[in-house]
Amino acid sequence: MLRHRAGLLLHSRRTLMVGLAAGLAAAGLVAPLTAAADPHPATHGTVQAQAKPATPKSGGPHKAAAFKPHAAKAGPLATAGKTGGKVTPQTADGADPGPQGDGSVANEYDLQMTYKGAQDSAGIVTGPPKVYLVLWGSQWGTPSTNSTGDVVPSGDPDGAAAYQQDFFKGLGSAGDGWSAVLTQYCEGIQAGSLQCPANAAHIQYPQPGSVLAGVWVDNAAAAPQAASEPQLAAEATAAAQHFGNVTEAQNRNVQYIIDSPQGTNPDKWKDLGYCAWHDFERTKFGSIAYTNMPYQPDVAGCGANWFGENTARGKLDGYGIIGGHEYAETLTDPNTPGGWTDATGQEVGDKCAWIPQGANGGLFFENLSTGSFPLQTLWSNTDHLCQSSDPIVTGPTLTLSVMCDRTDAPNSPVNIGAAAADSSGATVSYSATGLPSGLSINSGTGVISGTSSGSNGWQRITVNATDAGGRTASTGFWENIGSGQTGCTAGPEQLIDPGFENGSADVNHTVMTDAWSPSGYNIITPSSLHSAHSGTWYAWLGQNGSGADDSINTSLNTYAGYQNANFSFWLDTESTNTSGSNPDTLQLIAYSQYDGHQIGVVKTWNSTGSQPGYQQQSVNLTPFIGQVGWGTTISLKLVSHESGSTPTTAFLIDDASVHEN
């Protein structure tokens, strides 16, 4: 999963709005839907009975989604409490096939994956997929080599390192249909697309033995006992340098798996209740995709002996189930969330997680040339099902990755990498047109470099690739030599369900509402008593008198190497309280993901002098993110407070947005 950080549920209560109508009417306002109404949007429609893929929970936007262990039942409210200041990702009621679950499968949100349009020049992994294993820390001990060529460290009592190496070595062999499911996904198409045309750049089916690109036992120093997200990202950067991947093109189609040693607690996985996540960062070596892979046997619910083997090899099942999950999601969404996710933020693996073996779309064993490995199925848009196998889809032999629109400072060094992928292995040469003065492209590497001269403004650049067989491909982007934040322009929308259109009128802790964690019944509502800025659903804060604040809460993933973030939303303040001495208020508050401490009040709005009708609000989150560091996840909470015993102000919120660069 993506670092789908579950938002901090700083208070969660189920509030039925019984008796509220009279108080609001007396104040000149109107009441929300009653509990009996319980409207559900069309997206709660029926599910194909043959599919019913399980739906693991998450409450925040995708960065790298937390893949939750299933050691206990996770029905409504079962995991709603905060742990270390952060809600554990949850699973929809009935979706837990674990020993203490009911074994059923439930996914009433059977949504297709949509393409998000790419972030930092990456929508999918377009070239032959490559994995580098990083065994981080002196705790792994001294490495040696076994009879099959695997690196075997002395501090690995369960054999996790060799197991992972065998898995990645085996992909693409022995009729591996699981890898074929991924080949239907592509990039370079319109954002919002559900299917890929034949001429788009598709994920490539791996050649046998080609996926594992290297293993590094980084044992010069101990890994942190509880590594933070920025520390994990820094280790991925160190790995890129170690393996000589020091350009954007060299890192374009690879992922680094940061394996933490036994007994450690990276990103507090044992406290926060997940198994692994994947993410990306912006570095001097280009964008780097990486996975936080804790020592899976340390937590029984992360796949160990999931099929009842009770064997030494079965103890490592999580490295197949969860390792495969994160690998597949990195291929389809390397720079989260620029690739393929559904409207609730789930990725290709999330939608099919933990379906019991034997059920349609359930866990299964894939027989590869290097052994038999347990895997979960993957979501197939083509079939609208969770699939263990699909026909291989092949795109053009030669493709060029999308390139982001960007700004570079005048009279400064420029370095922009183009990345071609040629499935035939032929040599590729590059050329470009429209380059600003002072820049040129290296025909062998595709790197555009030089020193920009003057402020040329926005220019359209076209990059062309030609392989030895005469095949061609091209891509284009806008380059601004001028003032502003250098590098890629702001990426796609970072919030899940920014317009609340997934929302449910009740707090039932399904994936449809958890993106915003409403504090009470009908806070997110389609009520006709007020109106949305667009669409049907909106958030209505201010339904209670003093002592019972309303709130919505979401999490925001930030990216190492980014420097700016802006949060905006549309606000309609409908109020009868115009008192300057005791106004009703709406606050935006930022919280730390780890311990729940308040980073700061970003801004306060009040009812005094308010104008009815939606007005766009925009605030700069950069100073608050800076307090905890880029590459972390923060929680954003909008909370209303009524100064009197009866509500007098309705704060209506819709069409929120966060962009980072």
Side-chain angles (χ1 to χ4, degrees):
M1 304 168 83
L2 288 158
R3 188 159 48 100
H4 244 14
R5 288 317 193 195
L8 296 178
L9 192 56
L10 296 175
H11 76 268
S12 175
R13 54 178 167 71
R14 196 173 186 84
T15 306
L16 301 180
M17 299 304 171
V18 179
L20 181 60
L24 289 175
L29 300 174
V30 287
L33 294 169
T34 64
D38 191 20
H40 287 75
T43 48
H44 278 229
T46 58
V47 185
Q48 290 186 359
Q50 61 187 140
K52 292 186 178 177
T55 306
K57 292 286 307 190
S58 69
H62 265 113
K63 192 158 196 190
F67 193 18
K68 184 197 182 300
H70 286 64
K73 184 71 177 73
L77 301 178
T79 55
K82 63 179 182 176
T83 309
K86 176 180 170 185
V87 176
T88 56
Q90 301 166 50
T91 302
D93 190 22
D96 182 6
Q100 299 178 47
D102 58 17
S104 66
V105 178
N107 184 353
E108 59 180 327
Y109 316 115
D110 199 9
L111 305 175
Q112 290 283 65
M113 310 287 287
T114 60
Y115 181 61
K116 297 302 180 291
Q119 178 156 264
D120 270 16
S121 297
I124 61 165
V125 168
T126 56
K130 301 290 183 185
V131 168
Y132 292 91
L133 288 181
V134 181
L135 308 180
W136 185 23
S138 57
Q139 298 97 319
W140 284 100
T142 304
S144 59
T145 304
N146 67 12
S147 60
T148 61
D150 294 331
V151 175
V152 181
S154 59
D156 181 14
D158 297 303
Y163 186 99
Q164 291 177 87
Q165 291 168 71
D166 289 343
F167 171 64
F168 290 116
K169 286 178 181 178
L171 291 177
S173 68
D176 169 18
W178 182 81
S179 292
V181 179
L182 297 165
T183 63
Q184 69 187 272
Y185 296 105
C186 68
E187 70 171 24
I189 57 175
Q190 185 70 32
S193 297
L194 300 177
Q195 301 293 337
C196 291
N199 63 350
H202 287 251
I203 293 172
Q204 292 188 21
Y205 186 80
Q207 296 298 312
S210 68
V211 173
L212 183 65
V215 180
W216 178 31
V217 182
D218 181 12
N219 58 5
Q225 178 58 32
S228 66
E229 294 171 51
Q231 286 175 315
L232 289 157
E235 180 65 6
T237 303
Q241 184 165 22
H242 171 81
F243 288 111
N245 296 331
V246 294
T247 68
E248 186 172 349
Q250 287 174 311
N251 283 303
R252 178 60 180 83
N253 297 305
V254 308
Q255 55 184 282
Y256 300 91
I257 297 178
I258 311 303
D259 273 303
S260 290
Q262 184 183 46
T264 58
N265 195 17
D267 194 33
K268 298 189 177 181
W269 75 301
K270 297 176 183 178
D271 308 289
L272 303 182
Y274 65 88
C275 297
W277 50 251
H278 75 97
D279 198 1
F280 87 101
E281 58 172 330
R282 184 186 285 175
T283 77
K284 63 182 179 180
F285 306 140
S287 292
I288 291 177
Y290 67 98
T291 291
N292 168 27
M293 183 61 66
Y295 198 80
Q296 296 299 301
D298 281 358
V299 171
C302 285
N305 288 307
W306 203 245
F307 302 91
E309 309 99 316
N310 294 316
T311 64
R313 183 172 177 81
K315 192 175 182 181
L316 298 169
D317 282 351
Y319 284 108
I321 299 168
I322 294 157
H325 176 117
E326 302 299 338
Y327 162 81
E329 291 186 339
T330 302
L331 294 188
T332 52
D333 191 19
N335 288 10
T336 65
W340 291 83
T341 70
D342 72 11
T344 67
Q346 292 186 323
E347 294 180 292
V348 68
D350 300 328
K351 295 178 70 66
C352 306
W354 303 115
I355 303 176
Q357 184 186 28
N360 287 319
L363 295 163
F364 69 102
F365 279 90
E366 183 82 304
N367 295 317
L368 305 175
S369 62
T370 52
S372 182
F373 296 88
L375 292 171
Q376 65 155 88
T377 55
L378 301 171
W379 182 260
S380 168
N381 266 10
T382 301
D383 304 296
H384 201 68
L385 294 170
C386 290
Q387 295 284 64
S388 62
S389 181
D390 252 342
I392 297 173
V393 178
T394 57
T397 301
L398 175 65
T399 59
L400 263 172
S401 295
V402 296
M403 299 180 71
C404 67
D405 298 335
R406 55 183 293 131
T407 293
D408 287 291
N411 305 310
S412 299
V414 172
N415 190 289
I416 307 168
D422 193 297
S423 58
S424 72
T427 302
V428 177
S429 61
Y430 298 87
S431 63
T433 59
L435 289 171
S437 177
L439 304 186
S440 62
I441 189 169
N442 185 303
S443 62
T445 66
V447 174
I448 297 171
S449 62
T451 300
S452 59
S453 58
S455 297
N456 300 324
W458 289 98
Q459 295 182 231
R460 182 68 175 175
I461 299 173
T462 300
V463 177
N464 306 295
T466 305
D467 71 6
R471 290 173 284 261
T472 62
S474 65
T475 190
F477 66 100
W478 288 94
E479 165 79 357
N480 174 33
I481 302 298
S483 60
Q485 175 64 42
T486 59
C488 292
T489 55
E493 177 60 59
Q494 300 298 320
L495 298 179
I496 297 173
D497 193 21
F500 306 105
E501 296 304 311
N502 291 345
S504 174
D506 58 359
V507 183
N508 60 3
H509 293 278
T510 69
V511 75
M512 305 301 282
T513 58
D514 276 0
W516 285 99
S517 298
S519 61
Y521 184 81
N522 271 328
I523 296 297
I524 295 175
T525 179
S527 171
S528 60
L529 300 176
H530 288 297
S531 62
H533 175 256
S534 68
T536 303
W537 294 76
Y538 59 96
W540 176 354
L541 305 183
Q543 298 179 19
N544 294 285
S546 57
D549 297 343
D550 291 332
S551 67
I552 53 175
N553 179 79
T554 193
S555 61
L556 174 66
N557 300 301
T558 72
Y559 304 93
Y562 278 41
Q563 300 178 42
N564 294 284
N566 185 76
F567 176 73
S568 65
F569 63 97
W570 290 83
L571 173 65
D572 178 7
T573 305
E574 303 283 345
S575 181
T576 60
N577 178 8
T578 58
S579 168
S581 60
N582 198 21
D584 303 322
T585 60
L586 174 71
Q587 286 189 320
L588 174 64
I589 309 171
Y591 292 90
S592 163
Q593 67 158 331
Y594 286 116
D595 58 12
H597 82 268
Q598 181 176 309
I599 301 171
V601 176
V602 181
K603 187 171 180 177
T604 300
W605 296 262
N606 62 56
S607 58
T608 303
S610 60
Q611 296 282 331
Y614 279 100
Q615 306 291 326
Q616 189 172 32
Q617 312 296 318
S618 182
V619 294
N620 182 12
L621 298 175
T622 304
F624 300 91
I625 298 171
Q627 293 183 45
V628 292
W630 287 87
T632 61
T633 304
I634 66 171
S635 178
L636 297 174
K637 183 180 182 182
L638 280 161
V639 55
S640 67
H641 177 74
E642 295 284 330
S643 58
S645 59
T646 59
T648 55
T649 303
F651 294 102
L652 310 175
I653 297 163
D654 202 2
D655 295 330
S657 181
V658 173
H659 290 278
E660 303 175 34
N661 61 15

